[in-house]
Amino acid sequence: MFDNLVESKVHKDDLARKGSFLLGTVAIYTLIIVVILGVWVSYQVNNLEPLDYELLAELDTPVTPVQAEPEPEEIEKPQPTTTEQEVATRTELVASADTPTAVPKEVSAVASKVPSVPPGGAVLGTRNTNPSAATGPVGTGGTGSGGPVVPSGPPAAAPPPPPPPPKPTPTPVPKNTVVSGGVLNGKAISKPAPPYPPNAKAVRASGTVVVQILVSETGSVLSATAVSGHPLLRGPAAAAAKQARFSPTLLSGQPVRVNGTITYNFRLE
């Protein structure tokens, strides 16, 4: 019995000692935490920036509400007016049989499905209508009211063709115009041979004689002058040259005079 009492007292003292140790440990940790919090709060207070009083003043200023702009009023557009059609419309302009003077574009044995143009005329459109039918607004698509009005009478006569342009008038050539023709032997129509003079044969004179001639507009020789050759042969050569005939030379369509030469060869047999 005494042993139990001793053991109970020892156990009670052990519990009291453990409780005191636990309370002391809690108190120490609490103090440490309080000290750390105090140091942190002090640090934050020392590092705070000064207040911006201007910003505070702006924040205190009342904000004026922005008024919304009034929406523009819609302008009513004028509605197109409708008028009654006064001219007939046709998909194809077919002349009436009452106007025999109007010639059709093509002849066919099949009757046309398009009605003929009425006496009041018609315009091209997308459908065939008469003036009494209302076709809706004037100028809208499908009515053809903007096309040309075709009269029902005979078509107007076509204007006469313009006259042909006048032919260019050739520039007139002055009279007595003389052109150079060079050697005219090949242009001669008639070239009589000169006689061989007996005195030239006696002295055995021979060779080529060149005669300068002037041919008229009609081809006759107006003048002939020997310019080279044996003296005894020049006379007969010039006389024969005056009897020669040439084809007329034309300049701009008009005959002119020609200045050239003609040659004769004298040979002893």
Side-chain angles (χ1 to χ4, degrees), residues 113-195:
K113 297 181 180 179
V114 181
S116 60
V117 177
V123 296
L124 290 174
T126 57
R127 57 179 180 171
N128 301 317
T129 60
N130 293 323
S132 59
T135 57
V138 176
T140 58
T143 62
S145 59
V149 178
V150 179
S152 60
K167 296 182 179 181
T169 304
T171 304
V173 179
K175 294 183 179 180
N176 300 330
T177 300
V178 180
V179 297
S180 178
V183 179
L184 302 178
N185 289 54
K187 298 180 181 179
I189 299 175
S190 174
K191 182 185 176 185

Side-chain angles (χ1 to χ4, degrees), residues 238-252:
K242 289 183 179 181
Q243 303 300 323
R245 291 292 181 272
F246 298 86
S247 59
T249 301
L250 302 179
L251 179 63
S252 298

Side-chain angles (χ1 to χ4, degrees), residues 176-185 187-190 211-224 241-242 244-249 255-262:
N176 300 330
T177 300
V178 180
V179 297
S180 178
V183 179
L184 302 178
N185 289 54
K187 298 180 181 179
I189 299 175
S190 174
V211 181
Q212 184 79 32
I213 60 174
L214 177 63
V215 182
S216 67
E217 292 85 348
T218 59
S220 62
V221 177
L222 297 177
S223 62
K242 289 183 179 181
R245 291 292 181 272
F246 298 86
S247 59
T249 301
V256 292
R257 296 183 179 184
V258 180
N259 185 15
T261 60
I262 188 172

Side-chain angles (χ1 to χ4, degrees), residues 15-38:
L15 290 176
R17 186 171 57 254
K18 289 181 178 180
S20 299
F21 177 76
L22 180 60
L23 291 175
T25 302
V26 172
I28 292 172
Y29 277 107
T30 302
L31 181 61
I32 292 173
I33 292 172
V34 171
V35 172
I36 292 174
L37 289 176

Side-chain angles (χ1 to χ4, degrees), residues 36-154:
I36 292 174
L37 289 176
V39 173
W40 181 80
V41 172
S42 177
Y43 176 78
Q44 293 296 331
V45 171
N46 292 332
N47 291 335
L48 286 177
E49 295 180 358
L51 295 177
D52 191 351
Y53 294 100
E54 295 181 359
L55 179 59
L56 293 176
E58 292 180 0
L59 293 177
D60 294 338
T61 304
V63 179
T64 304
V66 179
Q67 297 181 356
E69 296 182 358
E71 296 182 357
E73 298 180 358
E74 296 183 358
I75 300 176
E76 296 182 358
K77 297 182 180 179
Q79 299 296 331
T81 58
T82 58
T83 58
E84 185 177 355
Q85 181 181 351
E86 298 180 357
V87 181
T89 60
R90 295 289 186 270
T91 57
E92 183 182 355
L93 299 179
V94 179
S96 175
D98 298 334
T99 57
T101 56
V103 181
K105 294 183 179 180
E106 58 182 1
V107 179
S108 176
V110 181
S112 177
K113 297 181 180 179
V114 181
S116 60
V117 177
V123 296
L124 290 174
T126 57
R127 57 179 180 171
N128 301 317
T129 60
N130 293 323
S132 59
T135 57
V138 176
T140 58
T143 62
S145 59
V149 178
V150 179
S152 60

